[in-house]
Amino acid sequence: MAKTKRIITILIRFLALGATLSATVVMVTSHDSAEVLNIKFTVKYNNSPSFKFYVIAEAIASGYGLVALFLSRKSSVDRLIGIMNVLIAMLLTSSISAASAVAEIGKKGNSHAGWLPICDQVPKFCDMSQLAPL
């Protein structure tokens, strides 16, 4: 039974590592440009602090996932791994929330603040950035 539990844990860790790594790659490689009133502007993940936070949090989670894969075989660090799992989950939850809020504003704007939606001008970026956080 203990061997089955270890195999399942390792499989879940590989799945989590793949998810965080792919989310990081999607966000870092997504970009688009548009021309409005003869002014060209480019949008990338690093234009928004929330998207930067998201990418950094995903990268931290990827690094932790890789380290945890090797440490999960040692029962002496199980408690530390459990605490770190919770901390990483909290970090990812906060970064996903921040990135999703910015993505929603980009998609729909905010009429109360006078912010217009930008996804009509840069649909490639919006489609890619909304895949990762949501």
Side-chain angles (χ1 to χ4, degrees):
M1 189 65 146
K3 188 174 183 175
T4 305
K5 182 180 176 185
R6 288 251 185 245
I7 291 171
I8 291 172
T9 301
I10 289 172
L11 287 175
I12 290 172
R13 290 211 178 274
F14 269 117
L15 183 65
L17 177 62
T20 56
L21 199 56
S22 64
T24 304
V25 169
V26 166
M27 284 301 290
V28 169
T29 59
S30 66
H31 62 280
D32 200 359
S33 59
E35 193 170 314
V36 177
L37 300 173
N38 292 329
I39 299 172
K40 186 176 180 178
F41 65 96
T42 303
V43 291
K44 297 184 250 183
Y45 83 94
N46 58 0
N47 295 130
S48 166
S50 296
F51 286 155
K52 282 185 199 176
F53 174 47
Y54 176 76
V55 168
I56 291 168
E58 291 289 337
I60 289 170
S62 295
Y64 166 72
L66 193 59
V67 169
L69 266 172
F70 296 108
L71 290 179
S72 65
R73 297 179 187 166
K74 297 176 173 66
S75 62
S76 61
V77 293
D78 277 347
R79 180 170 244 157
L80 177 62
I81 287 177
I83 292 168
M84 288 302 296
N85 286 343
V86 171
L87 291 175
I88 292 295
M90 290 172 22
L91 176 68
L92 289 175
T93 301
S94 65
S95 72
I96 289 169
S97 298
S100 295
V102 170
E104 185 70 14
I105 290 171
K107 184 177 179 182
K108 295 184 178 176
N110 184 328
S111 61
H112 299 291
W115 298 337
L116 298 173
I118 65 161
C119 285
D120 293 337
Q121 285 79 33
V122 286
K124 181 181 164 192
F125 175 76
C126 286
D127 291 344
M128 292 296 286
S129 65
Q130 289 181 6
L131 277 178
L134 303 174

